[in-house]
């Protein structure tokens, strides 16, 4: 049976960079009540597909990709939960190419969102004023560079962030 799951394909920071992001996510979680989650940069998010087929295609994608250096230059808050407190990544040809490859292997909605790479620091279902207060409390120095060296498929039912689970991961 081909049961559909709500999935996302993420890049994860390398071991040397991951603790910086994890500590900030945890600090913001404690202060602002965000649910816990793994630091990540979403390549393709929020599509419904069978896990086994998605994992086969993601494994092939991981074999094609090399680790990426990503620079984060700005902090932003937006209305959608998945962009409520984020670090915006500086666009790069390699990041765009990774997205382009991932987008070809994942089912896309009829009107997909444009690729706006970011790393979420908190998921806050709250007012714009409270998101701005949370943003003002971020303790990371910008710009900030990080290496991303693994690709993962996650089950990401929205808006239940606490229910997110990693399905599989691969080194780049």
């Amino acid at each position: 049976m081909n049961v559909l799951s709500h999935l996302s394909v993420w890049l994860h920071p390398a071991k040397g960079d991951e603790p910086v992001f994890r500590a900030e996510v945890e600090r913001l979680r404690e202060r602002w009540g965000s649910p816990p989650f793994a630091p990540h940069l979403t390549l393709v998010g929020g599509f419904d597909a069978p896990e086994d087929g998605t994992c086969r295609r993601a494994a092939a994608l991981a074999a094609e990709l090399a680790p990426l250096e990503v620079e984060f230059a700005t902090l932003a808050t937006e209305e959608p939960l998945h962009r409520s407190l984020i670090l915006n990544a500086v666009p790069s040809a390699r990041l765009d190419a990774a997205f382009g490859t991932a987008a070809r292997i994942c089912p896309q909605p009829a009107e997909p969102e444009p690729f706006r790479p970011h790393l979420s620091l908190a998921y806050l279902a709250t007012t714009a004023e409270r998101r701005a207060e949370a943003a003002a409390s971020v303790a990371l120095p910008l710009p900030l560079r990080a290496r991303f060296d693994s690709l993962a498929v996650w089950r990401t039912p929205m808006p239940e962030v606490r229910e997110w689970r990693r399905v599989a991961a691969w080194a780049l």
Side-chain angles (χ1 to χ4, degrees), residues 122-141:
Y123 294 105
L124 303 171
T126 189
T127 64
E129 292 78 19
R130 188 144 166 88
R131 288 192 310 272
E133 290 174 24
S137 76
V138 170
L140 295 174

Side-chain angles (χ1 to χ4, degrees), residues 8 10-13 17-42 72 75-76 80-87 118-125 134 138 140 148 152 154-166:
S8 296
W10 294 352
L11 291 171
H12 285 283
D17 293 318
E18 192 269 350
V20 171
F21 295 118
R22 182 167 299 281
E24 188 65 7
V25 165
E26 179 62 19
R27 192 182 69 73
L28 292 167
R29 183 191 70 75
E30 289 174 1
R31 182 163 180 194
W32 298 99
S34 175
F37 61 93
H40 64 278
L41 189 153
T42 302
F72 298 94
L75 184 64
L81 182 66
H82 71 281
R83 296 184 64 86
S84 56
L85 180 52
I86 60 174
L87 292 174
H118 66 277
L119 187 139
S120 292
L121 294 174
Y123 294 105
L124 303 171
V138 170
L140 295 174
F148 288 76
W154 281 72
R155 191 176 308 118
T156 54
M158 287 299 280
E160 301 302 325
V161 176
R162 292 183 198 298
E163 307 271 327
W164 291 359
R165 299 292 180 264
R166 186 173 71 183

Side-chain angles (χ1 to χ4, degrees), residues 66-90:
L68 292 108
E69 295 290 328
V70 178
E71 182 176 353
F72 298 94
T74 60
L75 184 64
T77 66
E78 295 183 21
E79 180 66 31
L81 182 66
H82 71 281
R83 296 184 64 86
S84 56
L85 180 52
I86 60 174
L87 292 174
N88 285 313
V90 173

